[in-house]
Amino acid sequence: MHISKSIVIDATPGDLYDMVADVTRMGEWSKACTGATWDDGAGPTVGSWFTGHNRGGPDQTYDTRCEITAAERPSTVAWMQRGKDEGFTEWRYAFAPVDGGTEVTESWTLIREFPAEHVDEARMTMMLEAFGKGIDDTLANLKASAEA
């Protein structure tokens, strides 16, 4: 399963990469992620870890450890919740120069199946709809921030 959406932002790929790769800023654009902290002073390099602070609903908050799986400035940054060895999903941002700025593509990919007892078809459908809406919101907010 995969969701991917793109937007053109009037900024350079390097500037946008720097914004997104600084995961501590994610709460500025995402409604679900309220921010993140680097674990053990790490930074956006492959194999480094951070803890994402998330909101699942009005009264639900939770933290998730994530491992950076790609960090290729200025073109790609990605991470997997629970890491590449144990995680199920990857969030990826790609930055490509185009007329008018940079095309930013945000994607969510199911890398390995969730355990059946945790996610049924109805819940997966609900998650995909929510992630699609979240990606739209995050990209729009990133655009507004970068172009301000």
Side-chain angles (χ1 to χ4, degrees):
M1 301 189 115
H2 178 81
I3 300 171
S4 181
K5 298 191 177 194
S6 300
I7 194 170
V8 174
I9 299 176
D10 186 13
T12 69
D15 287 344
L16 292 163
Y17 175 94
D18 291 343
M19 290 174 76
V20 174
D22 180 3
V23 296
T24 64
R25 296 187 63 190
M26 192 55 66
E28 295 175 36
W29 313 298
S30 172
K31 290 181 181 178
C33 178
T34 60
T37 51
W38 290 108
D39 297 345
D40 302 320
T45 58
V46 172
S48 63
W49 288 80
F50 67 90
T51 300
H53 312 296
N54 303 287
R55 178 179 32 247
D59 299 322
Q60 180 190 16
T61 60
Y62 61 97
D63 291 341
T64 303
R65 283 197 77 220
C66 301
E67 180 180 8
I68 299 291
T69 55
E72 301 156 13
R73 187 181 192 280
S75 63
T76 308
V77 65
W79 55 84
M80 284 187 70
Q81 296 170 318
R82 299 179 65 192
K84 65 179 173 20
D85 294 334
E86 297 180 21
F88 300 99
T89 62
E90 181 183 66
W91 288 93
R92 178 172 292 266
Y93 287 81
F95 309 93
V98 296
D99 287 343
T102 300
E103 181 179 59
V104 179
T105 301
E106 180 180 356
S107 59
W108 175 91
T109 303
L110 183 65
I111 302 296
R112 57 180 68 87
E113 293 296 320
F114 290 113
E117 65 270 16
H118 294 293
V119 180
D120 60 19
E121 188 174 334
R123 179 156 165 71
M124 184 57 79
T125 299
M126 181 191 72
M127 286 172 49
L128 291 173
E129 289 173 3
F131 291 155
K133 173 72 170 113
I135 289 172
D136 286 338
D137 292 343
T138 300
L139 290 175
N141 292 334
L142 178 64
K143 179 180 177 75
S145 178
E147 292 180 352

